[in-house]
Amino acid sequence: MTSQQPPSTPSQPEQPAEATPTCFRHPDRETWVRCQRCERPICPDCMRDAAVGFQCPECVAEGNRGIREAKTTFGGRIVGTPYVTYTILVLIGLVYLLQLASNGVTLALSNLPPAVAIGEYYRLITSAFVHQLGGLLPMHLLFNGWAIFAIGPSLERAFGHTRFAALYLISALGGSVLGFWLDPLNTYTYGASGAVFGLFGAFFVVGRKLRLDVRGIAVIIALNLVITFVLPALSNIRISWTGHVGGLITGTLLAAALVYAPKANRVLWHVLTIAGALAVLVALVVVRVPAILSMLS
């Protein structure tokens, strides 16, 4: 009897186990989640919520490129909280506390033509944050603070943070520059009134552009101008008419240039407008300095 071994069946090659995918941005991290747009594996740190599933950061950025950023009425970024207005009010309050602590602060920060002419140009701006000391009831500070609080947020939401800050500071500078030209040399001037008048003028311009009822702000401007010129004549109260008028003219003209700028290349127009206004005011200061220095010699 013979025996025969059955023919051997060739063994099947062993199939390799499927490799676990790794995140395309972090190769050391395993993941089974894929981007819904490009289908590349993404780890939890790279997942971005999408309408369905998740997307990778690159696909999210690519999708956002086609979405136009929301803008304010006149081209600035949308404003939720008017941080610039609140910052101005805080700075004014802090400076007032410094004034209470030291009498020298008021004189050191006020607009004094001879001091500016010899190089203390910062006074043209710092004077807009200084107010008359009034004890328990500082009316100068309270009136300007209330005016900024009342109309500042509306203008900041219309122009955006940066344009509003420029409007406020350049209006303040415009008031100081007119005082630098026309005030007596030994006169200290200070207060946010120049900037406030600039905001009044800007509010009027914005209202006209949006076809709103501007009679209220027109009356406020007229009454304050009357007070500016009449009250000093009837009392010993000194009011800087140059600061008020200079701020009003500067703020009104700058706001008009921003509001009525062509929509095509509006950002460029705004940059050039703000830079141009600043250049004009700086030039007026430079031109006036030699005359003041000659009077002092």
Side-chain angles (χ1 to χ4, degrees):
M1 177 181 284
T2 61
S3 63
Q4 185 177 1
Q5 294 291 334
S8 59
T9 304
S11 60
Q12 298 294 328
E14 187 175 337
Q15 298 293 327
E18 183 179 354
T20 302
T22 59
C23 176
F24 81 96
R25 299 177 79 237
H26 304 96
D28 59 328
R29 302 181 187 179
E30 297 180 351
T31 179
W32 290 96
V33 178
R34 293 181 178 274
C35 172
Q36 293 298 307
R37 294 187 66 181
C38 67
E39 297 188 350
R40 290 178 293 186
I42 49 177
C43 68
D45 287 342
C46 296
M47 296 177 188
R48 303 293 185 267
D49 289 328
V52 178
F54 300 95
Q55 293 182 7
C56 65
E58 284 82 354
C59 288
V60 171
E62 182 68 25
N64 288 339
R65 288 175 188 170
I67 301 175
R68 181 174 295 179
E69 183 182 5
K71 297 290 185 180
T72 66
T73 306
F74 303 113
R77 291 185 177 181
I78 294 295
V79 171
T81 303
Y83 293 114
V84 175
T85 300
Y86 296 157
T87 300
I88 292 170
L89 291 172
V90 169
L91 289 175
I92 288 174
L94 290 176
V95 171
Y96 190 78
L97 292 178
L98 291 175
Q99 290 179 255
L100 292 176
S102 173
N103 293 330
V105 172
T106 302
L107 300 181
L109 300 181
S110 298
N111 180 18
L112 179 65
V116 174
I118 63 174
E120 297 179 4
Y121 301 110
Y122 64 86
R123 291 174 177 266
L124 296 171
I125 290 295
T126 58
S127 59
F129 294 88
V130 178
H131 288 83
Q132 183 177 10
L133 296 176
L136 297 177
L137 193 61
M139 295 304 300
H140 191 204
L141 173 69
L142 292 178
F143 174 80
N144 286 335
W146 172 84
I148 295 169
F149 179 79
I151 66 175
S154 296
L155 289 174
E156 189 169 349
R157 291 188 175 98
F159 288 109
H161 296 308
T162 304
R163 291 166 178 78
F164 173 74
L167 175 67
Y168 182 89
L169 293 174
I170 292 178
S171 295
L173 181 59
S176 294
V177 169
L178 188 60
F180 186 58
W181 271 79
L182 301 181
D183 286 342
L185 295 186
N186 61 346
T187 302
Y188 286 89
T189 57
Y190 48 82
S193 302
V196 168
F197 267 82
L199 297 186
F200 286 163
F203 200 85
F204 178 85
V205 170
V206 169
R208 290 281 296 176
K209 174 63 175 177
L210 299 178
R211 298 185 178 181
L212 303 176
D213 187 352
V214 295
R215 288 175 293 181
I217 189 65
V219 169
I220 290 175
I221 294 173
L223 285 177
N224 279 278
L225 286 175
V226 170
I227 292 173
T228 297
F229 290 100
V230 173
L231 190 59
L234 300 178
S235 65
N236 293 326
I237 298 176
R238 190 181 70 84
I239 297 177
S240 174
W241 70 267
T242 53
H244 292 186
V245 173
L248 178 62
I249 293 173
T250 304
T252 303
L253 293 178
L254 179 57
L258 296 176
V259 166
Y260 290 97
K263 291 185 178 180
N265 299 319
R266 182 160 57 180
V267 173
L268 177 60
W269 279 97
H270 284 180
V271 171
L272 293 176
T273 296
I274 292 171
L278 185 60
V280 169
L281 293 175
V282 170
L284 288 172
V285 173
V286 171
V287 169
R288 179 61 174 165
V289 167
I292 292 179
L293 292 179
S294 65
M295 286 186 256
L296 295 176
S297 59

